[in-house]
């Protein structure tokens, strides 16, 4: 495996694109407006004629240990002993997110499938339903990770692209195949619960109406105090820890939108009735420690193999807390990885990763997740 990287900013590529690369996969995260131009699409197709090209709008693009805005962070990957297949479809063609997820992964050949990377619209897709249907339709030994597209902290519209299809409502799944492919993952938050543990008493999928039989939005505003005027973006500073009945692990949920008339809140994932919930908050040290723990978990799972590629998906809420120190969580990850390990990714509206090695994938918010990949031998990427 070998890679090529460049950043598109202010109308030009910082490293010129190859004239004709044999890369099989191109990740391009970032600026929706730049990506949607016919010039950009034709340029990428000309430079990477054999590649599946995919990405999404973000709340910040990750390239190495740096974060970029209003750019396109491009990483092209050539596999020597593995191959990839990408499929995409739009939620507008399905009754719900669950049906879409099942249909997409059923288009992949499950024979020899090792790993699936998912990029999804972050506003129009129910992340919980999507990932539950994807994992339910796949063999249990197939790892699934990925993320939901972002829109800075605006929460207005997210865009996903696959080759020349650049639109909202899109979900892309990439299947990775090959016996020599090594994959590991890690996810961790660093947020700390505070206040009373409450019960979700009225909800419909990812819309929360009542907590402890009181209107959820009013209760949330009371808990947020001075931050309530900044909803929904200020909710990124105070996510909700949610533990379903019968589950040992809790997940974190953040708000996508609020409805003042119905006194309700819509989250990135489902919040079933009967689940317990609690507000959370974090500081700089908590979040950096969480990033380090996620990296250590992925490296431990990789064993003696040396990762060549790291896919990082972190949450916009972490970026808001860390602010000008945001690159420190990326540097923490870099310090754990080999110097020649290529790192790319984005800040998201939701992260997709298992809690534990070989476990089922879940939707998370406010976490740092990373997926490490390697092959047995290194191949020089043709330019």
């Amino acid at each position: 495996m070998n890679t090529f990287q460049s950043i598109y900013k202010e109308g030009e590529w910082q490293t010129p694109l190859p004239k004709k690369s044999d890369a099989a996969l191109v990740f391009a995260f970032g600026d929706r407006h730049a990506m949607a131009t016919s010039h950009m699409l034709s340029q990428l197709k000309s430079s990477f004629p054999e590649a599946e090209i995919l990405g999404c709008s973000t709340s910040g693009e990750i390239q190495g240990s740096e974060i970029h805005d209003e750019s396109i962070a491009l990483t092209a990957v050539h596999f020597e002993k593995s191959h990839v297949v990408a499929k995409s479809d739009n939620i507008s063609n399905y009754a719900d997110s669950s049906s879409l997820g099942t249909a997409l992964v059923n288009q992949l050949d499950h024979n020899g499938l090792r790993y699936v990377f998912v990029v999804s619209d972050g506003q129009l897709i129910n992340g919980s339903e999507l990932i539950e249907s994807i994992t339910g339709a796949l063999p249990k030994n197939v790892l699934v990770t990925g993320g939901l597209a972002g829109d800075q902290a605006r929460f207005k519209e997210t865009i996903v692209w696959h080759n020349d299809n650049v639109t909202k409502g899109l979900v892309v799944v990439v299947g990775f195949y090959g016996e020599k492919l090594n994959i590991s993952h890690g996810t961790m938050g660093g947020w700390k619960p505070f206040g009373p543990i409450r019960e979700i008493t009225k909800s419909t999928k990812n819309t929360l109406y009542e907590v402890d039989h009181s209107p959820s939005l009013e209760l949330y505003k009371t808990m947020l105090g001075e931050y309530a005027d900044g909803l929904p973006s200020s909710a990124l500073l105070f996510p909700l820890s949610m533990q379903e009945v019968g589950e040992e692990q809790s997940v974190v949920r953040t708000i996508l939108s609020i409805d003042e008339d119905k006194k309700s809140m819509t989250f990135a994932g489902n919040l079933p009735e009967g689940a317990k919930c609690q507000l959370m908050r974090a500081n700089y040290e908590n979040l950096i420690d969480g990033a380090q723990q996620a990296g250590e978990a992925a490296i431990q799972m990789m064993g003696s193999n040396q990762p060549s590629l790291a896919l990082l998906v972190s949450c916009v809420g972490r970026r808001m807390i860390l602010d000008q120190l945001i690159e420190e969580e990326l540097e923490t990850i870099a310090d754990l990885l080999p110097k020649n390990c290529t790192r790319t990714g984005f800040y998201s509206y939701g992260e997709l990763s298992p809690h534990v090695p070989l476990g089922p994938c879940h939707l998370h918010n406010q976490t740092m997740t990373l997926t490490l990949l390697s092959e047995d031998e290194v191949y020089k990427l043709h330019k």
Side-chain angles (χ1 to χ4, degrees):
M1 182 192 302
N2 202 0
T3 60
F4 166 87
Q5 288 191 304
S6 186
I7 293 288
Y8 181 85
K9 206 161 193 174
E10 297 179 351
E12 62 180 10
W13 292 99
Q14 293 182 358
T15 301
L17 299 184
K19 291 184 178 180
K20 189 175 182 180
S21 165
D22 57 0
L25 181 62
V26 171
F27 297 104
F29 302 116
D31 189 337
R32 77 183 74 170
H33 303 294
M35 195 67 194
T37 64
S38 58
H39 171 71
M40 176 62 69
L41 295 173
S42 62
Q43 187 179 25
L44 292 179
K45 198 60 183 176
S46 175
S47 293
F48 307 101
E50 301 177 24
E52 296 282 3
I53 302 168
L54 59 104
C56 61
S57 61
T58 80
S59 296
E61 299 87 63
I62 297 171
Q63 195 85 303
S65 298
E66 296 181 346
I67 184 168
H68 300 267
D69 293 304
E70 298 181 352
S71 75
I72 295 176
L74 181 144
T75 300
V77 187
H78 178 102
F79 300 95
E80 183 184 9
K81 298 182 178 181
S82 311
H83 72 279
V84 297
V85 175
K87 302 292 181 180
S88 61
D89 212 334
N90 202 292
I91 186 62
S92 62
N93 298 323
Y94 295 86
D96 51 39
S97 300
S98 180
S99 301
L100 170 57
T102 300
L104 274 178
V105 294
N106 281 341
Q107 294 180 49
L108 298 175
D109 184 357
H110 294 184
N111 185 31
L113 182 61
R114 301 286 311 282
Y115 166 55
V116 174
F117 182 73
V118 181
V119 179
S120 168
D121 184 290
Q123 290 285 95
L124 301 179
I125 300 294
N126 183 311
S128 293
E129 291 186 356
L130 178 73
I131 200 60
E132 287 174 7
S133 64
I134 287 175
T135 56
L138 289 172
K140 293 188 180 300
N141 63 337
V142 176
L143 173 66
V144 180
T145 68
L148 309 186
D151 181 30
Q152 295 298 333
R154 293 184 289 259
F155 293 94
K156 291 183 178 179
E157 184 180 67
T158 62
I159 302 293
V160 174
W161 42 85
H162 178 210
N163 297 330
D164 58 353
N165 189 9
V166 182
T167 185
K168 60 184 179 180
L170 196 69
V171 177
V172 188
V173 297
V174 187
F176 290 70
Y177 301 80
E179 293 182 357
K180 300 298 183 181
L181 190 64
N182 306 301
I183 317 114
S184 68
H185 65 87
T187 183
M188 191 61 64
W191 298 79
K192 304 297 182 184
F194 74 97
I197 299 175
R198 303 180 185 274
E199 182 179 346
I200 296 172
T201 49
K202 185 179 180 181
S203 64
T204 302
K205 295 185 177 181
N206 61 332
T207 300
L208 179 62
Y209 294 99
E210 293 184 4
V211 175
D212 286 348
H213 302 285
S214 297
S216 60
L217 182 57
E218 294 304 312
L219 182 61
Y220 205 85
K221 285 182 175 181
T222 299
M223 296 294 289
L224 262 58
E226 62 182 293
Y227 294 96
D229 292 339
L231 286 171
S233 61
S234 62
L236 293 167
L237 306 175
F238 300 95
L240 204 65
S241 172
M242 190 269 294
Q243 185 172 5
E244 295 187 48
V245 177
E247 291 287 337
E248 294 184 2
Q249 298 281 349
S250 61
V251 293
V252 181
R253 294 283 181 261
T254 51
I255 296 175
L256 294 179
S257 62
I258 61 175
D259 189 323
E260 293 283 2
D261 294 332
K262 296 181 180 179
K263 306 299 181 185
S264 65
M265 305 182 291
T266 299
F267 290 75
N270 289 347
L271 295 98
E273 293 178 1
K276 301 297 183 182
C277 62
Q278 192 174 16
L279 278 177
M280 306 184 79
R281 60 188 170 196
N283 58 29
Y284 163 79
E285 290 81 6
N286 296 151
L287 298 184
I288 297 301
D289 287 346
Q292 180 169 342
Q293 291 171 35
E296 290 172 345
I299 291 169
Q300 182 178 5
M301 185 178 172
M302 183 64 74
S304 60
N305 298 304
Q306 292 293 301
S308 301
L309 175 65
L311 302 175
L312 281 64
V313 182
S314 189
C315 185
V316 59
R318 302 173 67 86
R319 184 176 183 184
M320 290 181 67
I321 291 286
L322 292 172
D323 196 18
Q324 296 181 2
L325 300 175
I326 184 61
E327 290 183 349
E328 293 201 20
E329 82 164 354
L330 304 180
E331 291 167 359
T332 296
I333 298 293
D335 290 342
L336 297 170
L337 297 172
K339 290 185 178 180
N340 62 349
C341 179
T342 299
R343 304 180 304 281
T344 189
F346 62 99
Y347 281 82
S348 75
Y349 280 178
E351 304 80 58
L352 305 173
S353 178
H355 280 294
V356 295
L358 305 179
C361 185
H362 293 277
L363 170 69
H364 305 269
N365 294 120
Q366 309 289 15
T367 61
M368 161 61 80
T369 70
L370 69 159
T371 308
L372 305 180
L373 297 95
S374 74
E375 289 183 302
D376 285 353
E377 297 179 9
V378 175
Y379 180 87
K380 186 175 182 180
L381 184 64
H382 298 305
K383 296 185 180 181

